Amino acid sequence: MNKNSVRGLLAAGLLLPLGVASAAELAVAPAIDLAYKSSDFTIAFFGGSGTSLIKPSYTTLTPSLALNYGRFYGVAAYESTVDDWNSTSLEVSSPTSNSFIQQTFERNEASLTFGYRVLDGSGKLGAVNVFAGYLQGVSGWNSTTFRYSAAPAPVSIKNLNVNFNEKGLFVGANYSQPFGSKGTLSLSAAYGFLSGLLNDVETSGGSSSTNQDLYSKSNGLSVGLAWSGNLTGNMNYRVGLKYIKYNFDVDRIDDKLTGTSTSVTPGMFVIKEQIYSLNFGVINYF
């Protein structure tokens, strides 16, 4: 397999940073990716456009390790936020009393991918890979409302703490086309089958007014476009864009304060998640 096709497979790192080996050798490819991401979590009722819960922008760091043997490969990756997002917004309610909201956000995700190289990139058609895997991610955010009044310091009047867990299987494919020694363009797409659990705890006046679990299921799509090239020797780089969209259809709500559980009609209550990302990574294969 020529080096251009090797780098094309490495470019697939938007979903799978591949190591490369000959038919009888094992190759190892550690990598590190830095990404800037923008997310949007929205709750929609009865098929409407919905109300945005939070729109954070943050930076993540993702170390990964890929193993390749012949046409088969596997990738383990773990993503975490480098700088937790925070935001403050002011809400004026009267000339003498107003409030402001402070929000924070963080996200972690682990994934395991297994794939097979259908075309190795040695011909004019480029390289084609198919893959399947499992991911588990957690997004957490906190929103605290403070009120200014005659008091010398702001007083906390409401706190909202949310943890959204998502996990499940995904399948997908990757196509890459080398452009000589300049580099390789790669396109990836995956379809996920996830379950979601959103825990919502709201406190007001020092006591919990809401504590509930929202269970949901989702089918969603992710697409990515990447460019890769050689830095030196076996060291390569990749830059890419990625878009993810999931609609989690809530089917059950458990109220932890009352101990009750309520079934939800399909399509009535949907949690929409969108993530845009721009990433830069470095890969070494040996």
Side-chain angles (χ1 to χ4, degrees):
M1 187 181 296
N2 59 53
K3 286 189 175 181
N4 282 334
S5 61
V6 165
R7 291 160 191 161
L9 294 172
L10 292 170
L14 279 168
L15 293 174
L16 44 139
L18 303 182
V20 185
S22 67
E25 294 180 341
L26 176 68
V28 180
I32 188 79
D33 286 86
L34 185 68
Y36 176 77
K37 298 193 173 187
S38 178
S39 297
D40 184 6
F41 290 86
T42 301
I43 284 185
F45 296 94
F46 300 103
S49 58
T51 301
S52 179
L53 295 175
I54 192 169
K55 290 185 176 182
S57 298
Y58 51 98
T59 304
T60 63
L61 191 67
T62 306
S64 61
L65 180 66
L67 299 178
N68 187 100
Y69 188 83
R71 290 179 176 265
F72 296 93
Y73 60 85
V75 186
Y78 182 78
E79 173 191 87
S80 60
T81 48
V82 176
D83 57 337
D84 294 347
W85 175 84
N86 61 81
S87 174
T88 301
S89 60
L90 179 66
E91 295 184 346
V92 178
S93 55
S94 73
T96 59
S97 177
N98 55 59
S99 62
F100 65 92
I101 300 173
Q102 288 185 339
Q103 293 180 308
T104 61
F105 177 89
E106 63 178 343
R107 178 177 172 81
N108 301 293
E109 181 181 300
S111 64
L112 190 60
T113 305
F114 298 97
Y116 178 76
R117 189 171 308 120
V118 180
L119 297 177
D120 64 7
S122 58
K124 294 182 179 180
L125 294 178
V128 176
N129 305 274
V130 293
F131 56 87
Y134 179 85
L135 69 83
Q136 182 167 354
V138 180
S139 298
W141 63 87
N142 178 271
S143 177
T144 304
T145 303
F146 296 88
R147 173 163 293 167
Y148 278 116
S149 59
V155 178
S156 174
I157 59 174
K158 185 172 65 174
N159 184 77
L160 175 65
N161 190 71
V162 177
N163 282 291
F164 184 45
N165 293 267
E166 50 192 319
K167 60 184 179 180
L169 302 175
F170 60 87
V171 295
N174 168 268
Y175 172 78
S176 58
Q177 179 62 53
F179 291 87
S181 60
K182 295 179 180 180
T184 300
L185 186 66
S186 176
L187 176 65
S188 298
Y191 197 77
F193 308 87
L194 306 185
S195 61
L197 169 59
L198 187 147
N199 175 247
D200 169 17
V201 178
E202 184 174 330
T203 59
S204 180
S207 60
S208 296
S209 57
T210 302
N211 188 346
Q212 57 187 6
D213 288 337
L214 283 66
Y215 293 86
S216 59
K217 291 182 174 60
S218 172
N219 295 335
L221 179 69
S222 68
V223 292
L225 182 68
W227 176 266
S228 71
N230 182 248
L231 289 174
T232 178
N234 289 341
M235 185 75 69
N236 289 263
Y237 73 90
R238 60 181 174 226
V239 292
L241 299 170
K242 187 177 180 180
Y243 172 70
I244 299 173
K245 182 177 182 180
Y246 288 108
N247 289 337
F248 289 87
D249 195 353
V250 176
D251 54 25
R252 193 180 95 216
I253 300 177
D254 290 352
D255 191 321
K256 292 188 173 183
L257 298 181
T258 63
T260 59
S261 181
T262 304
S263 297
V264 180
T265 303
M268 177 180 173
F269 189 178
V270 178
I271 303 170
K272 299 182 178 182
E273 176 186 17
Q274 296 185 86
I275 303 176
Y276 303 84
S277 65
L278 170 64
N279 80 292
F280 175 80
V282 177
I283 317 99
N284 187 69
Y285 64 92
F286 54 90

